[in-house]
């Protein structure tokens, strides 16, 4: 009876969440059944439970015969779990086949730099250094400063830490919260290519808690399916935060570097980047409607060099979830953390429960601002390729065009808002 009641409660939550997601316009998933369905979420939960149960128990010290019997039972359990998992995966996530076909289509041909199995040397190095290796002195992506090395060693994410099952299981309750608390609205997801890699460029808002980023990630997983790879370039300091940091990694956050962006795009993933970084996300309240990418043009070079679509995305309302009085760049320079930890800004803000305080690494109450996100059409550039990426004047021209398009869209969205926070 209790199990039946729990199932009815879960189904009612999923139903309410699905209705909330439908109001955002993101439920037209092109790859099979809606990932918010009870069947899909239940299948994901069963796979995770089966995997946990299939983990062999630690060897006992009560005798060899007992050890052998337990090992045999564990092996049988693993075999049964593998068979069950395979059957579940084939029947409940059939839309993943389209995604896998896409990945195969965009995979690079084997080159002189590959290891003989079709996997690039750069990819192997990323796995070895970011996901597995303990010796970070050989890490080509590691920072040169002591503070950077410490953050990267302890808090870095990797491609493997993105968890499609966890994302799918969390969609119903996440959408319910986003719909009720932030009245989230997402439009224009059809502007992201249905297949292949893309660089998604957004305006960074809301401090370290970036609710718009989570909402955009949920919308992407709802529309395209949780299996389609989606990674976000993220500062190590944000990934260091308790709870939030683990969520970021599970949703696909990887250390922000051009090498990681290049590798993710080569893998056929969509990559989210916020060029403005900490400088933009902590901009003062009265500048909340300004697109400020801090003059950082690396994302333009990345898109041109890799010859992938560049898709701008603009959000409004996320920066109204907190009230920032200053971006605190002067404070970072005074403390020296602009060089030691790569933290260029730390906000001075007012809100609950601390009153007025500096930094955004303490828990705070997010104001229930209405958050709207618009994905804009893909940018069209006259030239692409490594030569175009190396042309500083051309890169500046492309950068200015992207900022102009994003600012115009943001101004249009801001003009429709009657009041801050209320929307």
């Amino acid at each position: 009876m209790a199990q039946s009641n729990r199932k009815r409660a879960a189904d009612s939550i999923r139903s309410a969440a699905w209705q909330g997601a439908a109001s955002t316009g993101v439920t037209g998933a092109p790859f099979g059944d809606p990932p918010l369905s009870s069947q899909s979420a239940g299948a994901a939960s069963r796979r995770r439970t089966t995997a946990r149960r299939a983990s062999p128990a630690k060897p006992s010290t009560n005798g060899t015969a007992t050890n052998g019997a337990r090992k045999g039972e564990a092996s049988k359990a693993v075999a049964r779990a593998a068979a069950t998992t395979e059957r579940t995966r084939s029947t409940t996530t059939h839309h993943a086949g389209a995604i896998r076909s896409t990945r195969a289509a965009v995979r690079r041909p084997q080159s002189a730099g590959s290891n003989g199995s079709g996997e690039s040397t750069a990819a192997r190095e990323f796995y070895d250094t970011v996901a597995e290796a303990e010796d970070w002195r050989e890490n080509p992506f590691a920072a040169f400063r002591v503070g950077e090395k410490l953050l990267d060693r302890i808090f870095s994410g990797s491609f493997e830490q993105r968890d499609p099952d966890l994302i799918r299981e969390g969609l119903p309750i996440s959408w319910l919260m986003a719909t009720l608390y932030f009245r989230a609205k997402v439009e224009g997801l059809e502007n992201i290519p249905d297949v292949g890699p893309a660089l998604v460029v957004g305006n960074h808002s809301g401090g370290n808690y970036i609710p718009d980023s989570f909402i955009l990630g949920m919308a992407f997983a709802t529309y395209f399916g949780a299996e389609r790879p989606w990674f976000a370039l993220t500062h190590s300091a944000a990934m260091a935060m308790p709870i939030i940091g683990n969520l970021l990694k599970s949703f696909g956050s990887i250390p922000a570097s051009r090498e990681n962006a290049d590798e993710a795009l080569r893998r056929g993933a969509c990559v989210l980047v916020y060029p403005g970084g900490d400088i933009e996300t902590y901009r003062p309240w009265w500048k909340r409607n300004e697109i400020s990418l801090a003059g950082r043009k690396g994302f333009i070079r990345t898109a041109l060099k890799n010859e992938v679509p560049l898709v701008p995305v603009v959000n409004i309302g996320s920066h109204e979830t907190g009230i920032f009085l200053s971006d605190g760049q002067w404070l970072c320079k005074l403390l020296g953390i602009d060089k030691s930890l790569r933290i260029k800004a730390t906000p001075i803000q007012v809100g609950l429960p601390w009153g007025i305080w500096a930094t955004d690494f303490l828990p705070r109450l997010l104001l229930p601002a209405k958050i709207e996100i618009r994905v804009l059409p893909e940018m069209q550039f006259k030239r692409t390729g490594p030569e175009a990426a190396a042309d500083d004047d051309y890169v500046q021209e492309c950068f200015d065009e992207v900022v102009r398009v994003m600012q115009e869209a943001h101004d249009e969205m801001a003009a429709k808002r009657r009041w801050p926070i209320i929307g």
Side-chain angles (χ1 to χ4, degrees), residues 175-199:
W175 267 122
L176 189 61
M177 293 173 61
T179 303
L180 294 179
Y181 195 77
F182 295 116
R183 292 157 289 153
K185 179 181 179 182
V186 183
E187 58 183 6
L189 281 167
E190 67 277 2
N191 290 321
I192 298 177
D194 286 343
V195 297
L199 188 66

Side-chain angles (χ1 to χ4, degrees), residues 35-320:
L36 286 183
S37 67
S38 178
Q39 181 185 21
S40 296
S45 180
R46 284 194 298 274
R47 283 201 299 274
R48 294 167 64 85
T49 303
T50 302
R52 284 194 297 267
R53 291 177 178 174
S55 300
K58 293 183 179 180
S60 172
T61 56
N62 295 334
T64 4
T66 304
N67 288 344
R70 290 184 177 178
K71 288 180 181 178
E73 292 174 3
S75 299
K76 292 178 182 178
V78 170
R80 287 195 300 268
T84 303
T85 300
E86 184 59 33
R87 287 196 299 271
T88 303
R89 180 178 292 111
S90 62
T91 56
T92 59
T93 57
H94 61 275
H95 63 283
I99 308 294
R100 286 192 290 271
S101 300
T102 297
R103 291 173 181 166
V106 300
R107 188 176 295 129
R108 290 179 300 165
Q110 184 173 335
S111 62
S114 65
N115 60 11
S117 63
E119 183 177 44
S120 69
T121 303
R124 189 63 259 164
E125 287 176 353
F126 184 92
Y127 276 81
D128 289 342
T129 56
V130 178
E132 301 169 5
E134 287 298 322
D135 187 1
W136 281 68
R137 291 172 297 179
E138 303 299 326
N139 184 352
F141 307 137
F144 294 101
R145 300 182 182 91
V146 175
E148 290 178 278
K149 289 182 180 179
L150 178 62
L151 284 175
D152 285 343
R153 177 176 174 81
I154 298 177
F155 300 116
S156 286
S158 72
F159 292 127
E160 287 70 38
Q161 287 179 279
R162 183 180 184 273
D163 192 340
D165 280 348
L166 181 63
I167 293 171
R168 186 186 299 103
E169 289 178 51
L171 281 175
I173 188 66
S174 299
W175 267 122
L176 189 61
M177 293 173 61
T179 303
L180 294 179
Y181 195 77
F182 295 116
R183 292 157 289 153
K185 179 181 179 182
V186 183
E187 58 183 6
L189 281 167
E190 67 277 2
N191 290 321
I192 298 177
D194 286 343
V195 297
L199 188 66
V200 181
V201 180
N203 58 314
H204 206 10
S205 302
N208 285 341
Y209 293 89
I210 49 174
D212 58 298
S213 183
F214 280 106
I215 293 171
L216 179 60
M218 289 189 297
F220 182 91
T222 302
Y223 190 83
F224 293 104
E227 287 80 10
R228 185 176 182 185
W230 167 270
F231 295 104
L233 300 180
T234 309
H235 197 294
S236 297
M239 297 168 70
M241 297 178 66
I243 303 177
I244 295 293
N246 290 333
L247 281 175
L248 289 172
K249 296 171 189 176
S250 298
F251 274 77
S253 285
I254 55 176
S257 72
R258 292 185 186 180
E259 293 85 355
N260 290 351
D262 291 342
E263 184 58 35
L265 292 171
R266 283 194 290 265
R267 290 167 177 260
C270 288
V271 178
L272 174 64
V273 58
Y274 292 116
D278 47 2
I279 293 178
E280 184 179 35
T281 199
Y282 298 139
R283 65 192 183 277
W285 170 270
W286 50 89
K287 294 184 178 181
R288 64 188 181 278
N289 290 328
E290 293 183 13
I291 301 295
S292 175
L293 303 187
R296 296 168 178 169
K297 298 178 280 292
F299 72 97
I300 295 288
R301 299 185 193 276
T302 296
L304 295 177
K305 179 177 65 175
N306 291 280
E307 299 182 299
V308 297
L310 189 154
V311 182
V313 58
V314 175
N315 81 81
I316 190 169
S318 182
H319 209 64
E320 297 170 3

